[in-house]
Structures are given as C-alpha cells and as structure tokens.
Amino acid sequence: MSLSLVFAAVLAAFALGMFSGHRNAFPFGILLRLKRFLSMRNKPAAAGATPAFVVDLATKEALLDKRRRLANYIWGEDGLPLHRLPDVLKGEVEDVLSRQFQSLATAVRWTIRMDHGIDSVALVLTPHRHVRDLAVIYQQGHEGSISHGRHVIRRLLEHGYRVVALAMPLLGGNSQPVIQFRRHGPVRLQDHDHFFLLDHEFGGNSIRFFIEPVLACINQLAAQGVKNFAMLGWSGGGWTTTLCAALDQRIGRSFSVAGSLPFSLRIRGELADYENHLPALYEIANYPELYVLAAYGPGRSSLQILNEFDTVAWSGRRGELYQDRVQQTLTRLGEGRFSCMIDSSWVGHGISRISLEHVLSRLDVHGK
C-alpha cells in the first residue's frame, strides 16, 4: 500500500472519529458502551455485597414526621406553602418557544417571585382538545431552557395532558440577580453552588428556590379545579421531582429520570451541585428515605429511571440494589409503589424515546 493511501486511511479514520464523537453518531455509541461497561466493573455498586441502606421509617407516624421536618427546614415553622400562588399570571403568549406547541396547545406564563430577586417562570400549556383530568409538571434539569425538553412536552400534549414546564432556578431564562456580599462585593448568581454563599451571608437555605415554584403552580392549578397531578423531570429536574413528590402528596405519580443515587453508591464526579449534597437536608431524610416519601400514600407511585450508559452520572444498574428495600418499606407501611427502571436502549443523559413511552403508558392508565 502506498504512503498516500495509508495517509488517506488515517485521515479518514480521524475524521470519522471526530464526527462520531461530536455528533454521537456510529460508532461512537458502541465505543462508549464498551468503555462504560469496562469501567463499571470497578464501581462499588457493580461488585461486592449489596450496601446496607439506612431507612429510618418504622411507622407511618415516623414518615409523616420526617415529611413535616423537611418542610420546616425549607420554609420554617409555617411548613409547606399550600397557599403560595404565582405572583404574575400572564395571559396567552406567543414567542419562539410557545410557537413550537401552538398547533397543540394554548400557552400562558406564570412568574413566581422569591427572595433576593430570584424569579422562576413557568410555561403553562393546555391542549386544544381532549384535556385529561391529570396535569403534568415537567421539570427541566441543568441543561437550562425547557426547550431542551420540547420533544417530551410535545408527547405529553399529544396525549392530552396539561403541562406546566419549569426550568431550574438561575437557568433557562430565569433571573440571575446580582447580590452584594459583604466580603465579595457584587456577585451574579449564575450557578447553583453560589447558593452556598447566599446561605452563609443571609442565613436560611436556598432549597426552596427549587421547590417553591412547583408548589405555587400546583396550588394555582388546584384553585382552577385540577385535582390530579403527576411530575416528570430529568437530570436536576429528576432530583427536583423526587424532593417535590416527597414533600407534596398531591403529586400522585412521579417520574425521576437520571436524577440521583444514594450517597453510598456514588462514584467520583457524582457528588456535585449545591442541592444534591446539602448536608443539613439529607440529615433529615437521606435518599432512600426520600424515595419512600415520594411514593408513599393511597394510590401513589414513583418510578425512577436510570440510564445504564449515561454519559454524565448515575450510569450502570445501581438502582437495582435499593429498589426492593424501598418497596419493602412501603409494603410494611401499607401504601405506595416504587420501582426502578434501567434503560439500556441508548447512550446519553436524558429521557430516551423508550423511557418516555413507558412513562406515557403509566400516565395513561390513570389520566382519563
């Protein structure tokens, strides 16, 4: 083989590698699956004995007390803000994002204004016809704008569900206020880890900025006559979904995708983000206990979906190690259903088509 042909072959292989890696095209998925499979052999969750998970929920009273303590930690002695409503209810809107759904739904915007100039904006979408009696809160993650979840929102609308779509605080068009700190001067809040500074300077905790917008929207929908609620989120939105369902029993069905794992199962890089490892919060309720709280109650269920070949976090089959323990606790307490689905159908961080259709099938059983 001539030197020019060898050079051409090397160049072509390099170009293919660059393209497949950037576009997640063939053979990038196969190579990444192989890499993940080999690396997971050394993860503590993939080898050795099943970890012992601490679940301090011996009675229904203990569970209700833990839920009350969580609410008090976030909002003080007043507890869960069941009368908190959005501060601004803007009528029908038309912009780049809402126009993506205009053939399916009418769009309005609600704004929730919180301390320190931290605002959260919700896009509320109502299908033009056959509106089911179940509203779905869709929570985007750290990727930012809810436009990243437009395919999920579209499928929910096609199935007739009213959708309230939210981005996480400071992200996706939500406010990023400038805070004057005594020792640091003016700092623009752009990252959730900035909340550590905010808590230290002003006291309290910033967890409510993640949860209060969801509860305000549920309160508003309830005031409009909606009685049944579900919640779906991925990545940081999956974390938000778990905590919201743990706090508010009105969320009858919750679906957390690629959102969290118990601390004992995490590997390097998975102990990140202010909200995901705030010690005082998880001293009250650790992750297995939050999973129980999210599912507990008459007719309630919580499905956790983890991507086996996730490219960001929570990869592997670690969810299988605690799902029985969580369900056994619920069975002993008498109400609620928890399960963990491992999605091996793709490579990535998010909601796959197969996972989304599974969620829709479970929603359709209850949403009339």
Side-chain angles (χ1 to χ4, degrees), residues 132-171:
R132 296 177 184 257
D133 65 356
L134 176 68
V136 180
I137 309 296
Y138 171 73
Q139 179 68 61
Q140 185 59 41
H142 290 94
E143 295 74 16
S145 170
I146 60 175
S147 64
H148 290 283
R150 57 188 177 274
H151 66 293
V152 177
I153 296 170
R154 175 170 290 278
R155 290 294 288 140
L156 289 167
L157 293 172
E158 288 172 349
H159 277 241
Y161 295 107
R162 181 187 283 106
V163 178
V164 177
L166 291 151
M168 299 186 83
L170 311 181
L171 303 177

Side-chain angles (χ1 to χ4, degrees), residues 34-108:
L34 178 61
K35 176 185 175 183
R36 288 270 164 183
F37 173 75
L38 293 174
S39 66
M40 271 186 273
R41 292 184 304 173
N42 298 320
K43 292 183 179 180
T50 301
F53 300 104
V54 177
V55 181
D56 186 17
L57 294 169
T59 65
K60 176 181 177 180
E61 290 70 29
L63 181 146
L64 296 177
D65 180 66
K66 197 171 287 285
R67 180 178 285 158
R68 177 190 59 79
R69 288 168 55 207
L70 277 173
N72 289 349
Y73 169 73
I74 299 171
W75 289 283
E77 291 302 316
D78 291 337
L80 208 64
L82 293 175
H83 301 291
R84 173 69 157 102
L85 298 174
D87 299 280
V88 179
L89 303 177
K90 186 176 180 180
E92 191 168 343
V93 296
E94 184 175 340
D95 54 23
V96 174
L97 181 59
S98 62
R99 277 198 294 272
Q100 298 180 39
F101 310 112
Q102 63 184 2
S103 64
L104 296 170
T106 301
V108 301

Side-chain angles (χ1 to χ4, degrees), residues 60 249 292 295-300 329-337:
K60 176 181 177 180
Q249 192 165 315
V292 173
Y296 175 78
R300 297 185 82 215
T329 303
L330 289 164
T331 301
R332 189 182 71 251
L333 293 171
E335 296 173 322
R337 182 163 57 93

Side-chain angles (χ1 to χ4, degrees), residues 7-26:
F7 179 76
V10 170
L11 186 63
F14 177 77
L16 178 61
M18 290 293 291
F19 175 81
S20 65
H22 181 65
R23 298 292 185 184
N24 288 1
F26 177 85

